[in-house]
Amino acid sequence: QVQLVESGGGLVQTGNSLRLSCVASGRIYSSHIMGWFRQVPGKEREFVAAIRWGVRNTYYSDSVKGRFTISKDGTKNSVFLDMNSLKPEDTAVYYCGINRGSLSHHYRDYNSWGQGTQVTVSS
């Protein structure tokens, strides 16, 4: 069973940047899709970005396209989320998860969630 650990969150001002990391313990296969989601209290977990492990195809939600970049480092078994031009509405707990099926933007299709990392953007 793969376990994921997120890190890199923090408190930043509007317009600043952060890099989130997600380290996986265990084997990730080329067919797997690694996804970043975010959640605020009282709302459903929201898709942010995903990357297919084997071919590095990337996918983004409209709300972050052009500002966030997802990438991976196979040697470190890690996925990263570079977040630029941060806005207060990006404030949330960010999670990474694994999708062992086809590409999906729904959190129910992902599992092995980490504990999350808090991102707070002040105005």
Side-chain angles (χ1 to χ4, degrees):
Q1 178 74 8
V2 175
Q3 293 187 322
L4 304 175
V5 178
E6 304 96 335
S7 63
L11 170 63
V12 296
Q13 293 186 325
T14 296
N16 282 7
S17 302
L18 277 176
R19 173 176 247 212
L20 305 185
S21 300
C22 171
V23 180
S25 62
R27 176 77 181 271
I28 300 181
Y29 293 86
S30 59
S31 60
H32 288 170
I33 297 167
M34 303 294 294
W36 282 100
F37 285 72
R38 63 189 182 188
Q39 189 169 24
V40 297
K43 290 194 173 182
E44 196 170 90
R45 199 163 289 190
E46 173 193 26
F47 173 79
V48 175
I51 185 167
R52 191 176 292 278
W53 194 255
V55 296
R56 301 192 182 197
N57 288 359
T58 57
Y59 313 90
Y60 298 94
S61 69
D62 288 341
S63 62
V64 307
K65 198 174 295 182
R67 299 188 298 123
F68 292 10
T69 302
I70 188 170
S71 62
K72 75 173 188 76
D73 184 339
T75 65
K76 298 179 180 179
N77 235 28
S78 297
V79 176
F80 306 100
L81 186 69
D82 288 296
M83 306 186 296
N84 298 313
S85 303
L86 283 162
K87 306 175 182 179
E89 51 263 45
D90 294 318
T91 296
V93 178
Y94 284 70
Y95 299 89
C96 64
I98 298 175
N99 182 340
R100 295 173 173 83
S102 55
L103 176 66
S104 169
H105 290 191
H106 202 284
Y107 74 93
R108 294 185 189 278
D109 295 321
Y110 292 74
N111 50 41
S112 302
W113 298 103
Q115 82 291 346
T117 185
Q118 175 72 48
V119 172
T120 304
V121 185
S122 64
S123 57

